[in-house]
Structure formats: structure tokens, C-alpha cells
Amino acid sequence: MNKRRPYVRPMDGWWRKNPFFVEYMVHEGTALFVAAYAAILLTGLVRLSQGEAAWNAWLSALKNPWYVGFHLLALAAIAYHTYTWFKIMPRTMPPVVVGGQRLPAWAITGSGLAVAAAASAALLGLVWGLVR
Amino acid sequence: MKQRTLKRSNAPIFWALFGAGGMLSALFGPMLVFITGIAVPLAVVLPADTMSYPHMLAFAQNIIGKGFIFAIIALFLWHAAHRIFHSLHDIGIHAGTGAKLLCYGLAMLGTLIAAYALLAIGF
């Protein structure tokens, strides 16, 4: 047992003192929703492999208001993840040089968000087309 | 001079999985949540039988559908595991090997379960 008790500065709630860090914690926190949603999909996949009755039970469980409420929250959280993912992208990817000029941050973020919007529309359209 | 051998880091693997999952969830995450969690259960926007058993079985038996389901589930898990693991420090948990094994281990377990279920569904 060490008799020395060096002072350790308490760091509880450090991120709440600065809006920049609050935003950081919120966008890191979106991972909890990504994990929970992946777990729901994984459960569905396992139920699908167990046959029609198991699948239908999973499908009707999703109609539970708690599940719908969770999915509304997850939609907001993951949409925010999309926004921050492309907002940070100018700093997480190597510089892109076009015509001797470095591509500005807004162009990278803007094209990322445009691609995400197109991907979402394509996915919805594809599902619509497949089941219509 | 003392010869120093650098140990090859495994970080790039986890970083790549994190990045791939982050990109996939950024592109398709919101719409997927809307389709599977809101539109189908509430029977709005899409036809009521969008995720019926025959539809989903056919999708999961198709090789492209299989790949899509596997990529979505596995990469979402790896993305979230990496992000949660690295956020532990920020909330005052000094994460060590145990936390790393728990985070990445759960992602690996989910990946294996997804692969097993997709193989069980057949082609």
C-alpha cells in the first residue's frame, strides 16, 4: 500500500463545461443507437432463419410503441451521425487537391451529404420497386 | 546502436472497420431505420407486406441481399464497438484489455451469429 496520496484533479462531467465537448459527446453517443439498431436487425435475421412463425413474431414486436419510439430516437441520432460524419470528413481524409487548389471543407461536407441523400432516396426507391 | 523492433499495430484493422461502418451507417442508416422501424411497423409510405416472410426470405437467399444484410449488421457493430471503446476514457473509465476484448468481442460475436444465420437461411 502506497502511503502517498497524490492529488488527482477530478474530471467528472468535464465535457459539460464546454459546448464543443458536449457536441463531441453527443456525436460519439450516436454509436449507442447504431449498436442497438444493429442488435435489433441481428435478432430479426436470427428469427428469419428460424422460420415464418418466428419472423412474424419479430415483425409484430416492432409494432410495439416502445420499439417505434426507440426507432424515432434512433432515426434522429443516426441522421445526426450522418451530418457529423461528413462534417468531420474534411479533417479525417487526406487533402484533396483539384486544379492546384485544396478542396474546401464545405465542398467535401456538402458532397458527402448529397451522396447520403441520394443513397437514401435510392434505397427507398429500390425497396419500393422490389415489393410493389 | 541498439536494434529496435517495432511491433506491428493492429489498430488499422479496427480503424478501417470503424470507418467502413461509419460510412455505411451515414449513407444508409437513417433510411434503414425509417424503413424497418417506422414505415413497415406503422404501414406508412411502403406497402404493408414490404417485409413479409416470403419477401425477406427471398432477399436473404439472394447473394446480393445476403451481402447487404451481412455488411450492414457486421460493420454497424464494428463501428459502434470501436467508437464506444474509445469513448470509455472520456467518461472516466480507463479502459484496458478487458474492455477492448468486451467491445470488439461482442462485435465479433454478432458478426459470427449473422454469418451463421445467413448460411442457415441457405441460397
Side-chain angles (χ1 to χ4, degrees), chain B residues 5-14 100:
Chain B
T5 49
L6 289 172
K7 227 178 96 193
R8 195 171 270 239
S9 168
N10 57 20
I13 299 167
F14 298 122
K100 194 170 185 175

Side-chain angles (χ1 to χ4, degrees), chain A residues 45-99:
Chain A
L45 178 61
V46 171
R47 301 304 268 161
L48 184 69
S49 76
Q50 290 168 343
E52 186 158 9
W55 170 257
N56 286 336
W58 180 80
L59 207 56
S60 50
L62 288 190
K63 290 180 185 157
N64 183 308
W66 286 101
Y67 264 122
V68 176
F70 165 79
H71 280 107
L72 285 170
L73 279 178
L75 177 60
I78 299 178
Y80 188 65
H81 159 70
T82 300
Y83 169 69
T84 56
W85 186 258
F86 291 116
K87 199 182 83 172
I88 299 166
M89 216 172 144
R91 280 174 282 149
T92 53
M93 68 187 279
V96 184
V97 178
V98 179

Side-chain angles (χ1 to χ4, degrees), chain B residues 3 9 19 27 34 45 55 60 66 76 81 86-87 91 93 99 102 117:
Chain B
Q3 196 72 16
S9 168
L27 291 178
F34 174 74
V45 182
H55 280 156
K66 241 186 223 320
F76 277 28
H86 283 280
S87 295
I91 54 169
I93 300 168
L102 188 69

Side-chain angles (χ1 to χ4, degrees), chain B residues 57-90:
Chain B
L57 189 66
F59 184 63
Q61 283 179 337
N62 179 288
I63 192 72
I64 297 168
K66 241 186 223 320
F68 184 75
I69 295 171
F70 184 68
I72 290 287
I73 294 178
L75 290 175
F76 277 28
L77 285 174
W78 283 100
H79 166 78
H82 183 86
R83 205 165 225 187
I84 292 167
F85 173 63
H86 283 280
S87 295
L88 288 177
H89 177 78
D90 301 329

Side-chain angles (χ1 to χ4, degrees), chain A residues 14 24 28 37 55 81-82 128, chain B residues 25-26 32 36 45 51 87 90:
Chain A
W14 61 273
Y24 169 80
E28 292 291 297
Y37 180 62
W55 170 257
H81 159 70
T82 300
W128 178 266
Chain B
S25 55
L32 274 174
T36 69
V45 182
M51 283 169 69
S87 295
D90 301 329

Side-chain angles (χ1 to χ4, degrees), chain A residues 115-131:
Chain A
V115 170
S120 299
L123 181 64
L124 186 65
L126 193 68
V127 172
W128 178 266
L130 282 175
V131 299

